[in-house]
Amino acid sequence: MEFIMAVLAGILFTTGVYNLLQKQLLRIIIGTGLISHGAHLFILTMGELKRGAPPVLTEGIEKYTDPLPQALILTSIVISFGVTSLLLVLAYRAAKINGTDNMEQLRGNDYE
Amino acid sequence: MSNLAILPILLPLLAGIITAFIHKKTKLVRSFSQITAVINLIVVGYVFMTIRSQGTIVLEVGSWEAPFGIVLVGDLLAAVLVLTTNIIGVAAVFFAPKSLTEKEESFYFYSFFFLLIAGVSGAFLTGDLFNLFVFFEVLLMASYGLIVLGNGKAQLRESIKYVLINLFSSMLFVTTISFLYSVVGTVNMAQIAQRVQEVEQQGILTTIGILLFFVFATKAAVFPLYYWLPRPYSAPNAVVSALFGALLTKVGIYSILRTFTLMFNQEVDMTHTLFIYLAALTMIFGVIGALSTHNVKLIVAYNIIPAVGFMLMGIGIFSEVSLSGTVYYLIHDMIIKAALFILAGATVYVAGTSDLRKMGGLIHHYPVLGWMMFLASLVLAGIPPFSGFIGKLQLIRGAVGQGEVMIVIVALISSLLILFSMIRIFIRGFWGDKTDIPRPDRKEKGSRMVYPAVFLLTLSVLLGVGAEWFFPVVESIAQYLMDPEIYIDSVLKE
């Protein structure tokens, strides 16, 4: 199960990086979204996948799920959600004011 | 008493929230922010004195015991850096009304400013790797708000690149933390440091260490990951550039310093030798960048990069002398970069252009600004007796002590070139025949913009001339960094 998840996260990273290298602004943002999904899956996988066990450790219980990766993912999801929405607004404004969403034309020169 | 450790984070956070509610009343929010920033500096000064006399303060947030909950570790290194951050904060908050228009001020500048200070202080104080990521995000979020302030064409264009590179490196950070968690089973820095010694497969840990280095190197602008830095740092308003240049890359360098002295010091031969090479390349490429342009703000922005190289050099050499050089240089560089960006902002403002080729003879109209720029160039390049000299002296002493002669040659040549690149601003912009004043309408406001820089430069000169007083603190930090057991013991209380 861990192996499949790791491969899945790898695929998400690959497609994310591919999209990140595109010229169109919206594709780049989708790329960052895919990469953050990959990262979140990774955290989940690294805490070992188990089913049917509660995330609590009390006396006498041997089988339990590690709650820490879940807490970490939750934090990370919220942060990437916030940054992605900010990025969408920023990209919209930048594309509108600069009159293009092509990164090739958004290079800029030194004196302005 | 241990609650003191959270005050440097809590006060700016509260101030940030309060200023968000009164953001439209410009006069009120301005004076409130100035008073709060000064109070904050006093409180942080008190915290620093307490840590100085009583040793490390550890706060277990919510009373969760050390390896399980989040800890804030107020050691001397963190305290010194938080103090410097707040000194820059005070200078910036007094510079803001002179540099921003009233409209820009009322668009949440002060809220983002305080959140930035809270995030930077938090990153310095935290003792938990995942929490470090969270504080990175806090300060980055605030910086995203600041960088778009003013809504200019170039600004929006550059801020997209800035947000993207930071988002990517943050996601790499999270992935690396999850790798590390699967190997050592904890995110508490002290416990990681303890377990790293016990893990059998040291190879995987070195790989994780290098990955973490890449994350921090992206934030700190180390070669080859510096390419994103100069333009986004020179695009926004002068006060925002000053905050970014003084604080953000330094958080990255601090993280490298902390990670590779505390946790990943098991394969010094490999990792730290890599740092020395990267430091040399960072210095060379940064200084070439600074020489390649005629844009005043870009010259100053490019000068951040060789400074990062100097600090990385000290970490790479990894001896007590060189680490004291790195810590000293870190403090010196935070202050001088803030001063330089303020001066560059004032120069661009009074000249009405950022192109050096269109300037000239400004010193006849703005003598204080001109001489301050000259002094700042000398301090930055490390001419004795100023503070840059002390830091570089320690770094070079450390390098010679370890037999790393190549890096010494590179460091000395790039220091000379730094001086040359800065003096160009003075020669091209301020020297020359007396001409008509370029923007007479900006004369009064322009002359007043210098004062925050004068304040910072005075501190910088004091730091160099009075090195006798400051140096014992730096030396004890370096001793402390070379012995990770002290940190581990103070957090895990064994």
Side-chain angles (χ1 to χ4, degrees), chain A residues 36 43 46 66 68 72 79 83 90 93 98 106-108 110-112, chain B residues 137 141 148 151 153 157 161 171 174 178-179 181 231 294-295 357:
Chain A
S36 47
I43 310 177
M46 290 300 166
D66 190 353
L68 193 72
L72 301 188
I79 289 172
V83 179
L90 187 64
R93 288 289 298 174
N98 282 289
L106 286 173
R107 276 195 183 169
D110 278 357
Y111 310 101
E112 41 197 348
Chain B
E137 288 306 308
M141 282 289 188
V148 294
N151 206 9
K153 210 171 167 179
R157 193 184 62 213
K161 299 167 193 169
M171 282 307 134
V174 175
S178 73
F179 280 141
Y181 182 74
R231 281 151 186 270
H294 289 278
N295 183 331
R357 287 168 295 196

PDB file of all heavy atoms in Angstrom, chain A residues 36 43 46 66 68 72 79 83 90 93 98 106-108 110-112, chain B residues 137 141 148 151 153 157 161 171 174 178-179 181 231 294-295 357:
ATOM      1  N   SER A  36       1.635  20.274  -4.325  1.00  0.00           N
ATOM      2  CA  SER A  36       1.298  20.262  -2.896  1.00  0.00           C
ATOM      3  C   SER A  36       0.473  19.030  -2.550  1.00  0.00           C
ATOM      4  O   SER A  36       0.636  18.465  -1.463  1.00  0.00           O
ATOM      5  CB  SER A  36       0.610  21.553  -2.473  1.00  0.00           C
ATOM      6  OG  SER A  36      -0.400  21.896  -3.351  1.00  0.00           O
ATOM      7  N   ILE A  43       3.359  12.856   3.198  1.00  0.00           N
ATOM      8  CA  ILE A  43       3.338  12.889   4.670  1.00  0.00           C
ATOM      9  C   ILE A  43       2.492  11.727   5.187  1.00  0.00           C
ATOM     10  O   ILE A  43       2.871  11.024   6.123  1.00  0.00           O
ATOM     11  CB  ILE A  43       2.763  14.206   5.203  1.00  0.00           C
ATOM     12  CG1 ILE A  43       3.424  15.407   4.545  1.00  0.00           C
ATOM     13  CG2 ILE A  43       2.943  14.305   6.707  1.00  0.00           C
ATOM     14  CD1 ILE A  43       2.844  16.721   4.990  1.00  0.00           C
ATOM     15  N   MET A  46       4.352   8.475   4.850  1.00  0.00           N
ATOM     16  CA  MET A  46       5.517   8.334   5.710  1.00  0.00           C
ATOM     17  C   MET A  46       5.132   7.966   7.140  1.00  0.00           C
ATOM     18  O   MET A  46       5.939   7.423   7.882  1.00  0.00           O
ATOM     19  CB  MET A  46       6.322   9.639   5.730  1.00  0.00           C
ATOM     20  CG  MET A  46       7.016   9.918   4.442  1.00  0.00           C
ATOM     21  SD  MET A  46       8.158   8.629   4.045  1.00  0.00           S
ATOM     22  CE  MET A  46       8.500   8.980   2.343  1.00  0.00           C
ATOM     23  N   ASP A  66      -0.617   6.517  13.977  1.00  0.00           N
ATOM     24  CA  ASP A  66       0.158   7.687  14.386  1.00  0.00           C
ATOM     25  C   ASP A  66      -0.615   8.963  14.052  1.00  0.00           C
ATOM     26  O   ASP A  66      -0.900   9.230  12.883  1.00  0.00           O
ATOM     27  CB  ASP A  66       1.501   7.658  13.643  1.00  0.00           C
ATOM     28  CG  ASP A  66       2.459   8.691  14.188  1.00  0.00           C
ATOM     29  OD1 ASP A  66       2.013   9.492  15.030  1.00  0.00           O
ATOM     30  OD2 ASP A  66       3.618   8.695  13.783  1.00  0.00           O
ATOM     31  N   LEU A  68       0.288  12.119  14.430  1.00  0.00           N
ATOM     32  CA  LEU A  68       1.060  13.322  14.099  1.00  0.00           C
ATOM     33  C   LEU A  68       1.044  13.665  12.608  1.00  0.00           C
ATOM     34  O   LEU A  68       0.768  14.816  12.249  1.00  0.00           O
ATOM     35  CB  LEU A  68       2.497  13.183  14.611  1.00  0.00           C
ATOM     36  CG  LEU A  68       3.269  14.493  14.584  1.00  0.00           C
ATOM     37  CD1 LEU A  68       2.772  15.439  15.649  1.00  0.00           C
ATOM     38  CD2 LEU A  68       4.751  14.257  14.763  1.00  0.00           C
ATOM     39  N   LEU A  72      -0.054  17.179  10.817  1.00  0.00           N
ATOM     40  CA  LEU A  72       0.840  17.930   9.929  1.00  0.00           C
ATOM     41  C   LEU A  72       0.172  18.196   8.587  1.00  0.00           C
ATOM     42  O   LEU A  72       0.224  19.303   8.052  1.00  0.00           O
ATOM     43  CB  LEU A  72       2.148  17.161   9.709  1.00  0.00           C
ATOM     44  CG  LEU A  72       2.995  16.829  10.935  1.00  0.00           C
ATOM     45  CD1 LEU A  72       4.327  16.251  10.499  1.00  0.00           C
ATOM     46  CD2 LEU A  72       3.221  18.037  11.807  1.00  0.00           C
ATOM     47  N   ILE A  79      -2.480  25.731   4.657  1.00  0.00           N
ATOM     48  CA  ILE A  79      -1.523  26.716   4.155  1.00  0.00           C
ATOM     49  C   ILE A  79      -1.509  26.729   2.632  1.00  0.00           C
ATOM     50  O   ILE A  79      -1.616  27.783   1.998  1.00  0.00           O
ATOM     51  CB  ILE A  79      -0.114  26.429   4.714  1.00  0.00           C
ATOM     52  CG1 ILE A  79      -0.070  26.771   6.199  1.00  0.00           C
ATOM     53  CG2 ILE A  79       0.941  27.227   3.979  1.00  0.00           C
ATOM     54  CD1 ILE A  79       1.189  26.347   6.899  1.00  0.00           C
ATOM     55  N   VAL A  83      -2.390  29.817   0.074  1.00  0.00           N
ATOM     56  CA  VAL A  83      -1.426  30.366  -0.881  1.00  0.00           C
ATOM     57  C   VAL A  83      -1.951  30.236  -2.299  1.00  0.00           C
ATOM     58  O   VAL A  83      -1.818  31.149  -3.111  1.00  0.00           O
ATOM     59  CB  VAL A  83      -0.048  29.677  -0.744  1.00  0.00           C
ATOM     60  CG1 VAL A  83       0.929  30.238  -1.747  1.00  0.00           C
ATOM     61  CG2 VAL A  83       0.509  29.871   0.637  1.00  0.00           C
ATOM     62  N   LEU A  90      -3.622  36.988  -7.438  1.00  0.00           N
ATOM     63  CA  LEU A  90      -2.432  37.725  -7.870  1.00  0.00           C
ATOM     64  C   LEU A  90      -2.216  37.552  -9.366  1.00  0.00           C
ATOM     65  O   LEU A  90      -1.949  38.524 -10.086  1.00  0.00           O
ATOM     66  CB  LEU A  90      -1.233  37.206  -7.088  1.00  0.00           C
ATOM     67  CG  LEU A  90       0.085  37.937  -7.268  1.00  0.00           C
ATOM     68  CD1 LEU A  90      -0.054  39.347  -6.763  1.00  0.00           C
ATOM     69  CD2 LEU A  90       1.188  37.223  -6.508  1.00  0.00           C
ATOM     70  N   ARG A  93      -4.751  39.616 -11.323  1.00  0.00           N
ATOM     71  CA  ARG A  93      -4.412  41.042 -11.356  1.00  0.00           C
ATOM     72  C   ARG A  93      -3.205  41.294 -12.274  1.00  0.00           C
ATOM     73  O   ARG A  93      -3.209  42.240 -13.068  1.00  0.00           O
ATOM     74  CB  ARG A  93      -4.053  41.546  -9.942  1.00  0.00           C
ATOM     75  CG  ARG A  93      -5.201  41.670  -9.011  1.00  0.00           C
ATOM     76  CD  ARG A  93      -6.092  42.798  -9.368  1.00  0.00           C
ATOM     77  NE  ARG A  93      -5.429  44.098  -9.317  1.00  0.00           N
ATOM     78  CZ  ARG A  93      -6.011  45.218  -9.712  1.00  0.00           C
ATOM     79  NH1 ARG A  93      -7.231  45.188 -10.199  1.00  0.00           N
ATOM     80  NH2 ARG A  93      -5.367  46.355  -9.635  1.00  0.00           N
ATOM     81  N   ASN A  98      -0.721  43.710 -16.732  1.00  0.00           N
ATOM     82  CA  ASN A  98       0.353  43.590 -17.709  1.00  0.00           C
ATOM     83  C   ASN A  98      -0.158  43.236 -19.103  1.00  0.00           C
ATOM     84  O   ASN A  98       0.605  43.258 -20.064  1.00  0.00           O
ATOM     85  CB  ASN A  98       1.360  42.528 -17.260  1.00  0.00           C
ATOM     86  CG  ASN A  98       2.284  43.056 -16.188  1.00  0.00           C
ATOM     87  OD1 ASN A  98       3.144  43.874 -16.445  1.00  0.00           O
ATOM     88  ND2 ASN A  98       2.065  42.627 -14.966  1.00  0.00           N
ATOM     89  N   LEU A 106       6.467  38.198 -19.498  1.00  0.00           N
ATOM     90  CA  LEU A 106       6.455  38.821 -18.171  1.00  0.00           C
ATOM     91  C   LEU A 106       7.866  38.909 -17.582  1.00  0.00           C
ATOM     92  O   LEU A 106       8.039  38.964 -16.380  1.00  0.00           O
ATOM     93  CB  LEU A 106       5.554  38.024 -17.216  1.00  0.00           C
ATOM     94  CG  LEU A 106       4.056  38.180 -17.427  1.00  0.00           C
ATOM     95  CD1 LEU A 106       3.288  37.223 -16.556  1.00  0.00           C
ATOM     96  CD2 LEU A 106       3.610  39.594 -17.140  1.00  0.00           C
ATOM     97  N   ARG A 107       8.872  38.895 -18.438  1.00  0.00           N
ATOM     98  CA  ARG A 107      10.231  38.931 -17.918  1.00  0.00           C
ATOM     99  C   ARG A 107      10.610  40.289 -17.356  1.00  0.00           C
ATOM    100  O   ARG A 107      11.173  40.394 -16.291  1.00  0.00           O
ATOM    101  CB  ARG A 107      11.209  38.571 -19.035  1.00  0.00           C
ATOM    102  CG  ARG A 107      11.352  37.104 -19.191  1.00  0.00           C
ATOM    103  CD  ARG A 107      12.560  36.834 -20.009  1.00  0.00           C
ATOM    104  NE  ARG A 107      12.682  35.411 -20.244  1.00  0.00           N
ATOM    105  CZ  ARG A 107      13.527  34.898 -21.093  1.00  0.00           C
ATOM    106  NH1 ARG A 107      14.301  35.695 -21.793  1.00  0.00           N
ATOM    107  NH2 ARG A 107      13.615  33.603 -21.256  1.00  0.00           N
ATOM    108  N   GLY A 108      10.341  41.315 -18.112  1.00  0.00           N
ATOM    109  CA  GLY A 108      10.607  42.664 -17.632  1.00  0.00           C
ATOM    110  C   GLY A 108      12.032  43.110 -17.880  1.00  0.00           C
ATOM    111  O   GLY A 108      12.924  42.302 -18.082  1.00  0.00           O
ATOM    112  N   ASP A 110      15.150  46.324 -16.765  1.00  0.00           N
ATOM    113  CA  ASP A 110      15.725  46.843 -15.520  1.00  0.00           C
ATOM    114  C   ASP A 110      15.164  48.183 -15.045  1.00  0.00           C
ATOM    115  O   ASP A 110      15.085  48.438 -13.864  1.00  0.00           O
ATOM    116  CB  ASP A 110      17.237  46.976 -15.675  1.00  0.00           C
ATOM    117  CG  ASP A 110      17.915  45.647 -15.445  1.00  0.00           C
ATOM    118  OD1 ASP A 110      17.180  44.707 -15.121  1.00  0.00           O
ATOM    119  OD2 ASP A 110      19.127  45.563 -15.602  1.00  0.00           O
ATOM    120  N   TYR A 111      14.849  49.057 -15.961  1.00  0.00           N
ATOM    121  CA  TYR A 111      14.560  50.427 -15.530  1.00  0.00           C
ATOM    122  C   TYR A 111      13.099  50.780 -15.748  1.00  0.00           C
ATOM    123  O   TYR A 111      12.658  50.987 -16.872  1.00  0.00           O
ATOM    124  CB  TYR A 111      15.439  51.414 -16.303  1.00  0.00           C
ATOM    125  CG  TYR A 111      16.879  51.014 -16.267  1.00  0.00           C
ATOM    126  CD1 TYR A 111      17.460  50.389 -17.352  1.00  0.00           C
ATOM    127  CD2 TYR A 111      17.632  51.230 -15.127  1.00  0.00           C
ATOM    128  CE1 TYR A 111      18.786  50.000 -17.305  1.00  0.00           C
ATOM    129  CE2 TYR A 111      18.947  50.841 -15.073  1.00  0.00           C
ATOM    130  CZ  TYR A 111      19.522  50.228 -16.169  1.00  0.00           C
ATOM    131  OH  TYR A 111      20.815  49.844 -16.110  1.00  0.00           O
ATOM    132  N   GLU A 112      12.350  50.794 -14.668  1.00  0.00           N
ATOM    133  CA  GLU A 112      10.981  51.299 -14.767  1.00  0.00           C
ATOM    134  C   GLU A 112      10.512  51.785 -13.429  1.00  0.00           C
ATOM    135  O   GLU A 112      11.155  51.581 -12.434  1.00  0.00           O
ATOM    136  CB  GLU A 112      10.026  50.243 -15.341  1.00  0.00           C
ATOM    137  CG  GLU A 112      10.255  48.856 -14.822  1.00  0.00           C
ATOM    138  CD  GLU A 112       9.605  47.801 -15.700  1.00  0.00           C
ATOM    139  OE1 GLU A 112       8.816  48.160 -16.558  1.00  0.00           O
ATOM    140  OE2 GLU A 112       9.906  46.631 -15.523  1.00  0.00           O
TER     141      GLU A 112
ATOM    142  N   GLU B 137       5.826  30.097   6.669  1.00  0.00           N
ATOM    143  CA  GLU B 137       4.636  30.459   5.905  1.00  0.00           C
ATOM    144  C   GLU B 137       4.033  31.758   6.433  1.00  0.00           C
ATOM    145  O   GLU B 137       3.561  32.578   5.654  1.00  0.00           O
ATOM    146  CB  GLU B 137       3.601  29.335   5.962  1.00  0.00           C
ATOM    147  CG  GLU B 137       3.982  28.125   5.153  1.00  0.00           C
ATOM    148  CD  GLU B 137       4.308  28.471   3.704  1.00  0.00           C
ATOM    149  OE1 GLU B 137       3.498  29.141   3.054  1.00  0.00           O
ATOM    150  OE2 GLU B 137       5.380  28.069   3.241  1.00  0.00           O
ATOM    151  N   MET B 141       3.575  34.750   3.949  1.00  0.00           N
ATOM    152  CA  MET B 141       2.244  35.319   3.682  1.00  0.00           C
ATOM    153  C   MET B 141       2.278  36.835   3.860  1.00  0.00           C
ATOM    154  O   MET B 141       1.747  37.582   3.039  1.00  0.00           O
ATOM    155  CB  MET B 141       1.220  34.727   4.652  1.00  0.00           C
ATOM    156  CG  MET B 141       0.767  33.352   4.282  1.00  0.00           C
ATOM    157  SD  MET B 141      -0.267  33.407   2.827  1.00  0.00           S
ATOM    158  CE  MET B 141      -0.824  31.740   2.781  1.00  0.00           C
ATOM    159  N   VAL B 148       3.106  43.247  -3.000  1.00  0.00           N
ATOM    160  CA  VAL B 148       2.186  43.775  -4.005  1.00  0.00           C
ATOM    161  C   VAL B 148       1.663  45.166  -3.645  1.00  0.00           C
ATOM    162  O   VAL B 148       0.920  45.758  -4.411  1.00  0.00           O
ATOM    163  CB  VAL B 148       0.977  42.839  -4.225  1.00  0.00           C
ATOM    164  CG1 VAL B 148       1.416  41.539  -4.839  1.00  0.00           C
ATOM    165  CG2 VAL B 148       0.224  42.599  -2.947  1.00  0.00           C
ATOM    166  N   ASN B 151       0.626  48.020  -6.135  1.00  0.00           N
ATOM    167  CA  ASN B 151      -0.077  47.510  -7.296  1.00  0.00           C
ATOM    168  C   ASN B 151       0.526  47.934  -8.635  1.00  0.00           C
ATOM    169  O   ASN B 151      -0.175  48.124  -9.611  1.00  0.00           O
ATOM    170  CB  ASN B 151      -1.545  47.998  -7.219  1.00  0.00           C
ATOM    171  CG  ASN B 151      -2.483  47.087  -7.946  1.00  0.00           C
ATOM    172  OD1 ASN B 151      -2.081  46.008  -8.377  1.00  0.00           O
ATOM    173  ND2 ASN B 151      -3.715  47.509  -8.084  1.00  0.00           N
ATOM    174  N   LYS B 153       2.860  47.760 -12.168  1.00  0.00           N
ATOM    175  CA  LYS B 153       2.932  46.766 -13.228  1.00  0.00           C
ATOM    176  C   LYS B 153       4.092  45.793 -12.981  1.00  0.00           C
ATOM    177  O   LYS B 153       3.920  44.576 -12.939  1.00  0.00           O
ATOM    178  CB  LYS B 153       3.167  47.512 -14.545  1.00  0.00           C
ATOM    179  CG  LYS B 153       2.604  46.843 -15.753  1.00  0.00           C
ATOM    180  CD  LYS B 153       2.712  47.799 -16.933  1.00  0.00           C
ATOM    181  CE  LYS B 153       2.468  47.069 -18.227  1.00  0.00           C
ATOM    182  NZ  LYS B 153       2.527  47.933 -19.395  1.00  0.00           N
ATOM    183  N   ARG B 157       4.248  41.677 -11.589  1.00  0.00           N
ATOM    184  CA  ARG B 157       4.942  40.694 -12.403  1.00  0.00           C
ATOM    185  C   ARG B 157       6.004  39.968 -11.582  1.00  0.00           C
ATOM    186  O   ARG B 157       6.114  38.753 -11.623  1.00  0.00           O
ATOM    187  CB  ARG B 157       5.600  41.451 -13.558  1.00  0.00           C
ATOM    188  CG  ARG B 157       6.098  40.596 -14.667  1.00  0.00           C
ATOM    189  CD  ARG B 157       6.797  41.478 -15.664  1.00  0.00           C
ATOM    190  NE  ARG B 157       7.940  42.121 -15.058  1.00  0.00           N
ATOM    191  CZ  ARG B 157       8.365  43.335 -15.373  1.00  0.00           C
ATOM    192  NH1 ARG B 157       7.727  44.044 -16.266  1.00  0.00           N
ATOM    193  NH2 ARG B 157       9.424  43.835 -14.795  1.00  0.00           N
ATOM    194  N   LYS B 161       6.555  35.649  -9.522  1.00  0.00           N
ATOM    195  CA  LYS B 161       7.745  34.789  -9.500  1.00  0.00           C
ATOM    196  C   LYS B 161       8.159  34.517  -8.066  1.00  0.00           C
ATOM    197  O   LYS B 161       8.538  33.395  -7.715  1.00  0.00           O
ATOM    198  CB  LYS B 161       8.892  35.472 -10.250  1.00  0.00           C
ATOM    199  CG  LYS B 161       8.557  35.722 -11.701  1.00  0.00           C
ATOM    200  CD  LYS B 161       9.553  36.651 -12.337  1.00  0.00           C
ATOM    201  CE  LYS B 161       9.029  37.139 -13.681  1.00  0.00           C
ATOM    202  NZ  LYS B 161       9.829  38.230 -14.227  1.00  0.00           N
ATOM    203  N   MET B 171       6.864  23.498  -0.410  1.00  0.00           N
ATOM    204  CA  MET B 171       6.355  22.139  -0.596  1.00  0.00           C
ATOM    205  C   MET B 171       7.503  21.125  -0.497  1.00  0.00           C
ATOM    206  O   MET B 171       7.343  20.037   0.045  1.00  0.00           O
ATOM    207  CB  MET B 171       5.670  22.026  -1.960  1.00  0.00           C
ATOM    208  CG  MET B 171       4.291  22.629  -1.945  1.00  0.00           C
ATOM    209  SD  MET B 171       3.325  21.931  -0.596  1.00  0.00           S
ATOM    210  CE  MET B 171       2.593  23.358   0.130  1.00  0.00           C
ATOM    211  N   VAL B 174       8.072  20.582   3.190  1.00  0.00           N
ATOM    212  CA  VAL B 174       7.120  19.648   3.799  1.00  0.00           C
ATOM    213  C   VAL B 174       7.493  18.210   3.460  1.00  0.00           C
ATOM    214  O   VAL B 174       7.514  17.327   4.320  1.00  0.00           O
ATOM    215  CB  VAL B 174       5.689  19.955   3.317  1.00  0.00           C
ATOM    216  CG1 VAL B 174       4.728  18.923   3.831  1.00  0.00           C
ATOM    217  CG2 VAL B 174       5.264  21.306   3.776  1.00  0.00           C
ATOM    218  N   SER B 178       8.627  15.141   5.968  1.00  0.00           N
ATOM    219  CA  SER B 178       7.984  13.829   6.054  1.00  0.00           C
ATOM    220  C   SER B 178       9.006  12.709   5.875  1.00  0.00           C
ATOM    221  O   SER B 178       8.916  11.673   6.533  1.00  0.00           O
ATOM    222  CB  SER B 178       6.842  13.710   5.051  1.00  0.00           C
ATOM    223  OG  SER B 178       7.337  13.592   3.759  1.00  0.00           O
ATOM    224  N   PHE B 179      10.013  12.916   5.031  1.00  0.00           N
ATOM    225  CA  PHE B 179      11.106  11.928   4.922  1.00  0.00           C
ATOM    226  C   PHE B 179      11.796  11.762   6.266  1.00  0.00           C
ATOM    227  O   PHE B 179      12.020  10.656   6.752  1.00  0.00           O
ATOM    228  CB  PHE B 179      12.158  12.392   3.912  1.00  0.00           C
ATOM    229  CG  PHE B 179      11.779  12.140   2.483  1.00  0.00           C
ATOM    230  CD1 PHE B 179      12.079  13.079   1.501  1.00  0.00           C
ATOM    231  CD2 PHE B 179      11.161  10.972   2.110  1.00  0.00           C
ATOM    232  CE1 PHE B 179      11.743  12.860   0.191  1.00  0.00           C
ATOM    233  CE2 PHE B 179      10.829  10.736   0.790  1.00  0.00           C
ATOM    234  CZ  PHE B 179      11.119  11.691  -0.169  1.00  0.00           C
ATOM    235  N   TYR B 181      10.720  12.491   9.171  1.00  0.00           N
ATOM    236  CA  TYR B 181       9.835  11.898  10.176  1.00  0.00           C
ATOM    237  C   TYR B 181       9.813  10.382  10.048  1.00  0.00           C
ATOM    238  O   TYR B 181       9.801   9.660  11.044  1.00  0.00           O
ATOM    239  CB  TYR B 181       8.426  12.482  10.035  1.00  0.00           C
ATOM    240  CG  TYR B 181       7.466  11.958  11.072  1.00  0.00           C
ATOM    241  CD1 TYR B 181       7.549  12.402  12.382  1.00  0.00           C
ATOM    242  CD2 TYR B 181       6.504  11.012  10.756  1.00  0.00           C
ATOM    243  CE1 TYR B 181       6.708  11.923  13.350  1.00  0.00           C
ATOM    244  CE2 TYR B 181       5.655  10.531  11.725  1.00  0.00           C
ATOM    245  CZ  TYR B 181       5.751  10.988  13.015  1.00  0.00           C
ATOM    246  OH  TYR B 181       4.912  10.503  13.977  1.00  0.00           O
ATOM    247  N   ARG B 231      15.372  40.828  -8.650  1.00  0.00           N
ATOM    248  CA  ARG B 231      14.265  41.632  -9.174  1.00  0.00           C
ATOM    249  C   ARG B 231      13.094  41.791  -8.207  1.00  0.00           C
ATOM    250  O   ARG B 231      12.671  42.918  -7.958  1.00  0.00           O
ATOM    251  CB  ARG B 231      13.784  41.077 -10.508  1.00  0.00           C
ATOM    252  CG  ARG B 231      14.684  41.483 -11.635  1.00  0.00           C
ATOM    253  CD  ARG B 231      14.669  40.443 -12.718  1.00  0.00           C
ATOM    254  NE  ARG B 231      15.642  40.758 -13.736  1.00  0.00           N
ATOM    255  CZ  ARG B 231      15.352  41.497 -14.800  1.00  0.00           C
ATOM    256  NH1 ARG B 231      14.159  41.981 -14.964  1.00  0.00           N
ATOM    257  NH2 ARG B 231      16.291  41.740 -15.684  1.00  0.00           N
ATOM    258  N   HIS B 294      23.157  49.203 -13.773  1.00  0.00           N
ATOM    259  CA  HIS B 294      23.230  50.610 -13.398  1.00  0.00           C
ATOM    260  C   HIS B 294      22.035  51.025 -12.557  1.00  0.00           C
ATOM    261  O   HIS B 294      21.846  52.200 -12.292  1.00  0.00           O
ATOM    262  CB  HIS B 294      23.286  51.490 -14.647  1.00  0.00           C
ATOM    263  CG  HIS B 294      24.582  51.394 -15.374  1.00  0.00           C
ATOM    264  ND1 HIS B 294      25.690  52.105 -15.005  1.00  0.00           N
ATOM    265  CD2 HIS B 294      24.956  50.625 -16.413  1.00  0.00           C
ATOM    266  CE1 HIS B 294      26.690  51.807 -15.799  1.00  0.00           C
ATOM    267  NE2 HIS B 294      26.282  50.902 -16.669  1.00  0.00           N
ATOM    268  N   ASN B 295      21.206  50.040 -12.175  1.00  0.00           N
ATOM    269  CA  ASN B 295      20.021  50.339 -11.388  1.00  0.00           C
ATOM    270  C   ASN B 295      20.400  50.327  -9.901  1.00  0.00           C
ATOM    271  O   ASN B 295      20.858  49.313  -9.383  1.00  0.00           O
ATOM    272  CB  ASN B 295      18.961  49.268 -11.694  1.00  0.00           C
ATOM    273  CG  ASN B 295      17.659  49.530 -10.989  1.00  0.00           C
ATOM    274  OD1 ASN B 295      17.625  50.126  -9.925  1.00  0.00           O
ATOM    275  ND2 ASN B 295      16.583  49.067 -11.580  1.00  0.00           N
ATOM    276  N   ARG B 357      23.103  56.252 -14.722  1.00  0.00           N
ATOM    277  CA  ARG B 357      23.637  57.061 -15.807  1.00  0.00           C
ATOM    278  C   ARG B 357      22.908  58.388 -15.951  1.00  0.00           C
ATOM    279  O   ARG B 357      23.412  59.322 -16.559  1.00  0.00           O
ATOM    280  CB  ARG B 357      23.558  56.267 -17.123  1.00  0.00           C
ATOM    281  CG  ARG B 357      24.582  55.159 -17.167  1.00  0.00           C
ATOM    282  CD  ARG B 357      24.309  54.216 -18.291  1.00  0.00           C
ATOM    283  NE  ARG B 357      23.049  53.517 -18.091  1.00  0.00           N
ATOM    284  CZ  ARG B 357      22.704  52.408 -18.755  1.00  0.00           C
ATOM    285  NH1 ARG B 357      23.501  51.914 -19.667  1.00  0.00           N
ATOM    286  NH2 ARG B 357      21.567  51.814 -18.508  1.00  0.00           N
TER     287      ARG B 357
END
